[in-house]
Amino acid sequence: MLTNRSKVVVNKQMSFMERIYLPAVVGGLMTTIKHLFRKKTTIDYPKEKREISENYRGQHILKVDENGAERCTACGLCAVSCPAEAISMTAAERKKGEELKYREEKYAAVYEINMLRCIFCGLCEEACPKEAIFLTDRLVPVSGERDAMIYGKDKLTEKHYNEVDISKRQTPAVLAFKQNKQYQHNQLKQTR
Amino acid sequence: MVSGYIIYKSIMVVVVFLIGLGIAAYSTYAERKVAAFLQDRLGPNKAGPYGLLQPIADGVKMFMKEEIIPDVSNKFLFILGPCIAMLTACMTGVVIPWSTPITINGVSYPLQITDINIGILYVFGVVSIGVYGIMIGGWASNNKFSLLGALRASAQMISYEIAMGLSIIALVMMTGTISLQEIAAQQSGWHWNIIYQPLGFLIFITCAFAECNRTPFDLPECETELVGGYHTEYSSMKLGFYLFAEYVNMFISSAIISTLYFGGYNMPLIGRFVTDPNMLSILGVVFLFAKIFFFIFFFMWIRWTIPRFRYDQLMHLGWRIFIPLSILNILLTGAGILFFNR
Ligand code: SF4
Ligand code: SF4
């Protein structure tokens, strides 16, 4: 009775009009025919796309910095924070001469996200101390194979000079929040 | 002359057969589209423009599928079932008068394959054989679900045939003929039988739904209870035949409903604008098909509106409501004929 929506069931005999069933049939037909002219709720997907919000959490991207060096340092915080355990990686040490390829001394040689496991919660993005991983407004395309749904660095790392805009996810509030983080080293700054 | 007659009739048979199959094929497409639209969806739209090639794709799929005949089935009957279903579905079309005769060079070509003077009885006879297709198929599959579906189908069809026949008797009393050509011809202008026989029409169309195994009377094949009912064990084109027969039946039922109650090829007032008899008869075909398409749509519309009956409700409706009601209708019609001396 909390919602005041409960109905008392009465087991009364149906009236004659109810029993001949026809008015109900006509009523039903009218209801369904109205739907014939209604705006459809489904869309012709690959041709037409639904409008999504600006900070939609879709397919991930591994950012590069101004010089095109990968920002990820394979610290594993994203993998630890991931509730779906979708991320796995193998770390490697940066060699001499690779400074323009990898920003930090340690980098992820293999970085994989299993898109079938991922729930697109965005916790990896929040956990990352290097501003390396972000979710974008791109939808993850479907695939007929499970293996194809495990995205490696080839699909995740962005191309230099062809960066994906993530400013919509970097709202002033988010930036202010990140300022307050204990370690300031995660701000964007010039590489040595 | 005789050979010309045979050639003309053969052409008519082939044309009607092809039109029937074509309409049945596109009914499957229409069914999916109508279902989608009534449920606020878009429906098939990938094969060709607006998905218009979908029936062809479905047909190819049916042909390409692996043919499975269960080991425990009775092979001969298993194959016979869908054949009978398809054959009877196609046979009913021959008595439908598509329009008035066309006269070319003084020779009159009737747009009807054959005007047998017991047209209605012929339709009933063939439709009753149709139940054997389902019954034999379900029985030969040697599967519980199929058997239950077949039992339901035969009980349901036999029950509703009675009410259907009785509702037709009232119509026949009024028209005084059982040739479909004459019944259609009598309804020129506004004299559509639906006006004189509303109750009979209601009974007839409901029974037609039951005879076609369409929702709300699709108990023989209800997926939710019986997997697929009588065609559970069927695959490939044999399944295709069963499904196809259902759509051909739907087309023929629509044609018969239009002919019996909705004036067939007649359209009121058209005689004022067109006087050329050949033109009139071509327009008649157009009108008849317009009516048929409406009823096919109506079949689909009902399907996506009304949920399936429970089995006891079905039997209750058939035996305890429709049969007395159709007898009452006969009485009322008799009284009306006596009173107005029509
Ligand atoms: S979005 Fe959530 S679930 Fe997906 S990888 Fe990141 S942390 Fe894991
Ligand atoms: S993406 Fe960020 S959190 Fe994940 S390993 Fe790389 S630097 Fe660490």
Side-chain angles (χ1 to χ4, degrees):
Chain A
M1 277 316 228
L2 276 175
T3 55
N4 265 341
R5 272 183 298 180
S6 56
K7 271 193 191 144
V8 184
V9 178
V10 194
N11 221 355
K12 72 167 172 47
Q13 286 282 309
M14 285 199 287
S15 69
F16 178 72
M17 279 311 267
E18 281 167 343
R19 253 186 305 147
I20 59 171
Y21 200 57
L22 275 180
V25 170
V26 174
L29 287 175
M30 287 304 127
T31 308
T32 40
I33 201 75
K34 264 187 229 143
H35 283 263
L36 191 69
F37 305 105
R38 244 193 232 167
K39 198 175 163 295
K40 308 295 170 227
T41 44
T42 53
I43 54 164
D44 193 0
Y45 167 60
K47 272 189 232 153
E48 224 180 301
K49 293 219 165 97
R50 250 181 230 295
E51 211 178 301
I52 53 180
S53 86
E54 285 179 332
N55 55 356
Y56 187 83
R57 297 197 299 262
Q59 184 184 330
H60 311 63
I61 188 131
L62 283 173
K63 297 295 284 180
V64 295
D65 68 1
E66 318 73 48
N67 304 322
E70 290 174 17
R71 303 181 67 93
C72 175
T73 185
C75 65
L77 286 178
C78 50
V80 171
S81 72
C82 178
E85 306 206 347
I87 305 178
S88 66
M89 70 190 74
T90 313
E93 209 172 320
R94 185 178 68 185
K95 304 261 163 42
K96 261 223 153 17
E98 289 184 329
E99 281 83 3
L100 281 178
K101 253 177 114 187
Y102 309 111
R103 200 173 116 111
E104 316 284 343
E105 286 102 33
K106 186 172 142 240
Y107 70 94
V110 178
Y111 189 102
E112 285 177 343
I113 300 182
N114 187 338
M115 293 298 175
L116 289 175
R117 298 197 66 130
C118 178
I119 55 171
F120 301 97
C121 60
L123 284 184
C124 44
E125 174 185 325
E126 213 169 294
C128 182
K130 293 287 174 190
E131 305 278 291
I133 190 158
F134 284 95
L135 274 67
T136 61
D137 59 358
R138 301 168 303 170
L139 297 176
V140 177
V142 289
S143 163
E145 322 226 332
R146 284 173 172 271
D147 285 349
M149 294 304 281
I150 298 174
Y151 281 28
K153 271 175 82 177
D154 53 326
K155 283 190 189 158
L156 292 171
T157 318
E158 70 180 349
K159 302 276 171 300
H160 193 32
Y161 301 123
N162 192 16
E163 274 94 352
V164 175
D165 180 26
I166 45 107
S167 57
K168 290 296 182 321
R169 293 194 59 73
Q170 292 275 48
T171 56
V174 172
L175 288 174
F177 171 75
K178 287 196 169 165
Q179 291 286 341
N180 294 335
K181 273 196 180 170
Q182 194 181 356
Y183 302 105
Q184 294 286 312
H185 64 257
N186 58 357
Q187 279 168 50
L188 298 164
K189 59 175 181 245
Q190 213 66 39
T191 13
R192 290 135 288 174
Chain B
M1 199 60 223
V2 171
S3 66
Y5 177 80
I6 290 174
I7 290 169
Y8 174 67
K9 288 296 177 194
S10 316
I11 293 172
M12 271 301 282
V13 168
V14 171
V15 167
V16 169
F17 181 67
L18 288 183
I19 289 178
L21 290 191
I23 287 184
Y26 272 88
S27 297
T28 63
Y29 166 75
E31 171 107 87
R32 294 173 65 179
K33 273 290 192 198
V34 168
F37 285 163
L38 291 181
Q39 295 168 351
D40 295 346
R41 293 185 286 116
L42 288 171
N45 59 358
K46 291 285 181 282
Y50 304 103
L52 275 173
L53 300 179
Q54 192 67 43
I56 298 165
D58 284 345
V60 171
K61 183 199 79 175
M62 282 286 185
F63 269 114
M64 304 303 270
K65 274 197 166 177
E66 190 190 348
E67 175 108 49
I68 298 168
I69 300 183
D71 245 2
V72 287
S73 66
N74 182 329
K75 303 238 164 30
F76 175 68
L77 293 182
F78 192 78
I79 295 169
L80 188 68
C83 297
I84 294 183
M86 195 68 197
L87 185 74
T88 52
C90 295
M91 262 167 69
T92 25
V94 298
V95 287
I96 293 167
W98 303 104
S99 194
T100 43
I102 289 187
T103 315
I104 301 167
N105 294 337
V107 187
S108 141
Y109 294 98
L111 290 183
Q112 182 184 19
I113 295 176
T114 170
D115 179 24
I116 43 181
N117 55 5
I118 48 159
I120 293 179
L121 283 185
Y122 170 79
V123 170
F124 269 75
V126 174
V127 166
S128 323
I129 299 172
V131 71
Y132 285 103
I134 293 175
M135 228 166 78
I136 289 175
W139 170 260
S141 303
N142 205 350
N143 169 315
K144 289 187 205 67
F145 294 120
S146 307
L147 183 62
L148 276 174
L151 279 176
R152 283 182 176 190
S154 35
Q156 169 183 329
M157 283 184 149
I158 289 166
S159 315
Y160 278 79
E161 233 157 54
I162 301 172
M164 197 181 206
L166 288 175
S167 73
I168 284 295
I169 287 180
L171 184 83
V172 170
M173 280 163 64
M174 221 186 69
T175 55
T177 172
I178 47 177
S179 144
L180 285 171
Q181 173 70 49
E182 279 172 44
I183 290 179
Q186 278 176 5
Q187 302 181 60
S188 61
W190 273 116
H191 298 289
W192 290 7
N193 284 333
I194 170 81
I195 298 166
Y196 308 109
Q197 287 285 337
L199 185 61
F201 165 68
L202 207 66
I203 297 168
F204 186 82
I205 195 168
T206 319
C207 296
F209 277 107
E211 292 283 310
C212 288
N213 293 327
R214 297 282 301 181
T215 7
F217 304 104
D218 64 340
L219 287 119
E221 49 182 296
C222 45
E223 308 88 8
T224 38
E225 299 164 33
L226 294 182
V227 191
Y230 60 88
H231 55 56
T232 305
E233 293 287 357
Y234 281 89
S235 55
S236 183
M237 208 51 208
K238 289 213 271 314
L239 173 67
F241 264 31
Y242 269 131
L243 302 183
F244 218 67
E246 186 183 319
Y247 284 98
V248 177
N249 274 331
M250 206 162 95
F251 167 57
I252 299 294
S253 305
S254 302
I256 288 176
I257 291 169
S258 316
T259 311
L260 288 184
Y261 288 98
F262 280 83
Y265 47 76
N266 291 301
M267 199 70 190
L269 302 181
I270 190 71
R272 295 218 187 139
F273 307 109
V274 189
T275 41
D276 180 30
N278 283 352
M279 200 59 210
L280 265 180
S281 90
I282 290 169
L283 280 175
V285 178
V286 175
F287 291 137
L288 180 60
F289 272 92
K291 290 170 190 172
I292 290 174
F293 289 147
F294 171 76
F295 278 106
I296 291 180
F297 173 74
F298 188 68
F299 267 80
M300 293 168 183
W301 186 9
I302 286 276
R303 169 161 183 190
W304 301 106
T305 302
I306 303 176
R308 185 184 306 134
F309 279 107
R310 222 167 53 207
Y311 200 66
D312 61 320
Q313 289 171 334
L314 176 95
M315 281 299 159
H316 174 84
L317 188 71
W319 287 95
R320 295 187 34 208
I321 296 181
F322 275 155
I323 292 180
L325 214 57
S326 43
I327 292 174
L328 179 75
N329 190 34
I330 293 176
L331 274 179
L332 289 180
T333 312
I337 291 171
L338 209 63
F339 195 70
F340 296 109
N341 202 16
R342 278 194 72 237

